[in-house]
């Protein structure tokens, strides 16, 4: 791992995400200032990336800093978007978001388990995939 590639920052994001498992509780209307104790899926990813100095918007699928990446290149700390169980294009812009731990699991805040969980990427994607976004290193690596 090298600092210039941002891998240390991304690994720290995953360490922080895992620290929320079994500790944080889910609230649909969670506020960023309540994180990491109270979260929803997008406040969770906002808080994680905010700790690295990257401010994500509420509508993260539309984040101008994030780049779209193909599924076969998914990497640590990528944002993975899936439809909600009752997804509606007219009501939701992205559905549900989690953070990839690499190629095999995703950590996300879920109301079904009332908190943060880590699950296999294949299980997370059962509802489909709305896209994968990556925050480029120039936004969180300082020279």
């Amino acid at each position: 791992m090298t600092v210039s590639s941002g891998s240390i920052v991304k690994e720290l994001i995953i360490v922080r995400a895992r620290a929320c498992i079994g500790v944080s509780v889910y609230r649909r209307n969670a506020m960023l200032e309540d994180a990491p104790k109270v979260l929803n899926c997008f406040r969770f990813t906002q808080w994680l990336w905010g700790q690295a100095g990257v401010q994500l918007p509420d509508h993260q699928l539309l984040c101008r800093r994030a780049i779209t990446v193909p599924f076969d290149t998914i990497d640590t700390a990528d944002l993975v978007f899936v439809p909600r169980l009752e997804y509606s294009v007219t009501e939701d812009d992205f559905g549900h978001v989690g953070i990839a731990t690499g190629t095999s699991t995703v950590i996300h805040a879920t109301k079904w388990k009332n908190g943060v969980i880590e699950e296999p990427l294949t299980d997370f994607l059962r509802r489909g995939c709305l896209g994968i976004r990556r925050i480029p290193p120039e936004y969180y690596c300082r020279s």
Side-chain angles (χ1 to χ4, degrees):
M1 289 189 206
T2 63
V3 175
S4 61
S5 71
S7 59
I8 291 173
V9 172
K10 294 190 298 183
E11 290 297 330
L12 184 57
I13 287 171
I14 300 307
V15 167
R16 286 184 176 129
R18 285 188 172 128
C20 294
I21 296 172
V23 177
S24 301
V25 295
Y26 179 92
R27 293 291 177 267
R28 183 175 176 90
N29 59 351
M31 302 299 292
L32 189 55
E33 57 267 16
D34 296 329
K37 290 183 178 187
V38 179
L39 301 163
N40 58 32
C41 66
F42 68 94
R43 295 288 184 228
F44 181 53
T45 53
Q46 277 182 324
W47 177 76
L48 289 169
W49 273 104
Q51 300 302 298
V54 177
Q55 303 305 312
L56 296 178
D58 285 352
H59 304 290
Q60 296 167 16
L61 192 58
L62 305 176
C63 179
R64 296 186 198 289
R65 291 183 175 172
I67 57 171
T68 301
V69 295
F71 179 77
D72 61 349
T73 65
I74 194 168
D75 196 14
T76 304
D78 284 349
L79 301 171
V80 183
F81 297 90
V82 297
R84 291 185 192 186
L85 291 177
E86 298 166 7
Y87 182 73
S88 166
V89 174
T90 59
E91 295 177 21
D92 298 315
D93 66 334
F94 65 81
H96 187 62
V97 62
I99 193 155
T101 63
T103 59
S104 62
T105 64
V106 172
I107 303 173
H108 61 108
T110 174
K111 69 179 177 181
W112 306 114
K113 299 286 184 174
N114 192 31
V116 175
I117 65 169
E118 183 170 358
E119 69 176 317
L121 180 61
T122 53
D123 292 353
F124 187 73
L125 294 174
R126 281 200 178 123
R127 292 181 268 177
C129 184
L130 295 175
I132 299 168
R133 302 291 186 273
R134 179 170 297 150
I135 307 298
E138 59 263 24
Y139 291 109
Y140 54 90
C141 290
R142 311 297 188 269
S143 43

